[in-house]
Amino acid sequence: MQVDALDRVIKNAIDVMENSKYQVFEICESVRTERETLSNELAKVIEETTKTIDLVDQFEADYRRSRVRLTEVSRDFKRFNEEDIRLAYENATRLQAQLSIYREKELHLKARRDDLQKRLKGIDRRLERAEGLVSQLNVVLEYLSGDLNQVTRMLESAKNRQILGLKIILAQEEERKRIAREIHDGLAQNLANIVLRTEIAERMMAKQAFNAVKEELVDLKGQVRGGIEEVRKIIFNLRPMALDDLGLVPTLRKFVQDFEDKHKIRTQFETVGKETRLPSGMEAAVFRLVQEAFSNVLKHAQASHVLLELTFQMQMVKITVTDNGIGFEADNIERQLTKGNHYGLIGMRERVGPLEGRMDIQSDIGAGTKISMVIPIKSDAKEE
């Protein structure tokens, strides 16, 4: 591939990403406007509902008093004449009619309130997905807008670029298969089960088996919560929201804990130095490096313990991943990487390169592996 052609491809990709980012941003603004309108309408409906409920309570009290009054005048013919009875009856009838009207109005307002609340929740979910997509596009743009000379040099130094490209595509496809498998085995199954449970609840409602319906709804709520948790895990694997909101260290701490819970490999996370926020693109890069390192441990190391150390210094950040696995001959690692083996390590080295960092590997047969990555922090990057 010619360098000029590569530059054109990347620039075209950047233009497309920029246009897509602004389109998604416009969608976000439109959704926010719609949300604000619905929120204002919901506030008015809630206020009117509260007033209507108070009126219903007042009319119920007045109606009860009018019924008592009608009973009194109907029984005591000595004290009350026919005109008193007629007035008491008309008053009770009028209050009964008004009470019915306001009860109907109360039911309508409650239904309207519930519908608006449901629509607001749907809009919040759409807004969260759109904002997540903008965040992902920003990360991609940061990578694509980096130093293209670094990319060119890496491509020129690879002896077999076509094979490397195919391996990258295969890695992407594997990631897509993994996500599809997680959705199929987790979320899709939960949704199918929820639909089935809902149909069962409908049949029970028809038979007026309300206690059974209540138990079914409790179980159904648990199924929905499980589905929400599955979605959050998938989103976290794609682009952790906590990375933007909380920063690198809390996100890595959650990732390490989830890794231990899922794969039953004891993990340990330690930080050295004063924790500080890094530029968004660098935090994403560090997270992906740790993700890839742990993936290598899971696939190849056969380890029972993994240690992640994150060291903060004024001019650099250092990532160290140490495992007690089977290890390999570190002396031959450069030849293995040159031959195109160890694609996980190749991917990590390619992530470190554009950041002007370095990666060192220490390993021996039966002695585990230690991977150290040092990434410089430039002063202009800190200001960002």
Side-chain angles (χ1 to χ4, degrees):
M1 182 183 293
Q2 297 296 324
V3 175
D4 292 340
L6 176 62
D7 288 343
R8 286 196 298 272
V9 170
I10 294 179
K11 288 177 180 178
N12 288 336
I14 291 174
D15 290 339
V16 172
M17 291 287 181
E18 287 286 356
N19 292 333
S20 299
K21 184 178 73 172
Y22 287 118
Q23 289 175 8
V24 176
F25 179 77
E26 289 176 356
I27 293 174
C28 287
E29 290 302 309
S30 174
V31 173
R32 287 193 184 95
T33 302
E34 183 180 356
R35 189 190 188 286
E36 184 178 357
T37 301
L38 284 178
S39 297
N40 294 335
E41 185 178 355
L42 177 61
K44 293 179 181 179
V45 170
I46 290 175
E47 182 181 0
E48 189 175 355
T49 302
T50 303
K51 292 180 180 178
T52 303
I53 291 173
D54 293 340
L55 285 173
V56 168
D57 293 341
Q58 181 64 43
F59 277 120
E60 285 179 344
D62 293 343
Y63 178 62
R64 284 194 298 270
R65 286 193 293 269
S66 70
R67 296 287 298 177
V68 172
R69 172 67 176 173
L70 181 60
T71 302
E72 289 177 354
V73 299
S74 299
R75 290 178 177 177
D76 195 345
F77 293 103
K78 294 181 179 179
R79 293 176 54 199
F80 303 104
N81 54 31
E82 291 185 2
E83 181 64 18
D84 293 330
I85 296 173
R86 184 183 65 79
L87 291 174
Y89 178 77
E90 289 179 353
N91 185 49
T93 303
R94 178 182 59 81
L95 289 173
Q96 183 182 26
Q98 289 178 326
L99 178 61
S100 298
I101 292 172
Y102 278 96
R103 278 177 175 169
E104 185 68 25
K105 184 178 180 180
E106 178 186 350
L107 291 175
H108 173 74
L109 287 171
K110 286 181 177 179
R112 179 61 178 163
R113 178 198 62 193
D114 294 342
D115 178 64
L116 288 172
Q117 289 174 339
K118 186 182 299 183
R119 289 171 61 187
L120 270 176
K121 289 180 180 178
I123 287 177
D124 287 339
R125 288 193 295 269
R126 286 163 50 196
L127 186 58
E128 183 179 355
R129 287 196 296 268
E131 290 175 344
L133 183 57
V134 170
S135 177
Q136 293 175 25
L137 287 173
N138 284 333
V139 172
V140 174
L141 282 170
E142 285 180 9
Y143 281 118
L144 291 179
S145 302
D147 188 357
L148 299 184
N149 292 327
Q150 293 285 348
V151 179
T152 303
R153 284 196 294 269
M154 284 189 292
L155 289 175
E156 290 175 347
S157 65
K159 289 185 176 180
N160 197 334
R161 290 170 292 178
Q162 185 179 19
I163 294 177
L164 183 59
L166 289 174
K167 288 296 182 180
I168 292 173
I169 292 173
L170 288 175
Q172 291 174 340
E173 290 301 318
E174 285 299 321
E175 181 68 10
R176 290 174 180 173
K177 287 180 182 178
R178 182 189 65 78
I179 295 171
R181 188 164 54 249
E182 286 184 358
I183 294 174
H184 178 271
D185 295 341
L187 180 60
Q189 297 294 335
N190 282 340
L191 291 177
N193 194 32
I194 288 171
V195 172
L196 179 61
R197 292 294 184 87
T198 305
E199 293 175 353
I200 293 173
E202 289 176 348
R203 296 192 188 101
M204 291 179 177
M205 286 287 289
K207 297 179 181 179
Q208 296 186 349
F210 298 110
N211 289 333
V213 170
K214 183 178 180 181
E215 294 175 359
E216 194 69 27
L217 289 177
V218 171
D219 194 18
L220 190 62
K221 183 167 65 175
Q223 292 274 344
V224 173
R225 285 176 175 169
I228 293 173
E229 185 63 27
E230 285 290 331
V231 172
R232 286 175 177 166
K233 287 181 179 179
I234 293 172
I235 292 173
F236 182 84
N237 288 330
L238 290 174
R239 169 67 177 177
M241 297 296 179
L243 199 60
D244 298 318
D245 299 335
L246 303 179
L248 181 62
V249 173
T251 305
L252 286 177
R253 188 170 286 116
K254 182 180 187 305
F255 168 77
V256 168
Q257 185 61 52
D258 290 345
F259 183 89
E260 180 177 86
D261 295 341
K262 183 176 181 180
H263 303 293
K264 309 305 178 186
I265 298 175
R266 191 165 63 90
T267 60
Q268 187 177 352
F269 178 35
E270 297 179 357
T271 60
V272 180
K274 183 180 179 182
E275 297 179 14
T276 182
R277 289 300 300 266
L278 303 175
S280 176
M282 187 173 291
E283 287 190 339
V286 172
F287 178 78
R288 295 305 180 196
L289 286 169
V290 173
Q291 219 177 16
E292 188 64 46
F294 272 64
S295 177
N296 283 340
V297 172
L298 180 64
K299 292 178 181 177
H300 308 296
Q302 302 178 25
S304 61
H305 177 262
V306 187
L307 170 63
L308 169 63
E309 292 179 285
L310 192 63
T311 303
F312 291 93
Q313 294 186 6
M314 288 294 294
Q315 302 298 328
M316 69 88 174
V317 60
K318 182 179 180 182
I319 311 125
T320 305
V321 179
T322 308
D323 68 70
N324 65 346
I326 59 176
F328 52 85
E329 293 183 3
D331 294 340
N332 297 328
I333 189 62
E334 290 299 330
R335 290 197 297 273
Q336 295 294 321
L337 292 178
T338 302
K339 291 178 181 177
N341 298 327
H342 298 286
Y343 290 100
L345 295 176
I346 291 176
M348 293 167 64
R349 178 164 289 182
E350 290 182 349
R351 287 182 185 273
V352 171
L355 297 173
E356 299 182 8
R358 71 176 189 272
M359 183 175 78
D360 298 320
I361 302 172
Q362 301 174 19
S363 185
D364 203 354
I365 300 295
T369 302
K370 180 178 180 180
I371 300 177
S372 300
M373 293 161 282
V374 177
I375 300 173
I377 304 175
K378 297 181 179 180
S379 58
D380 55 347
K382 286 183 179 179
E383 291 175 0
E384 292 176 4

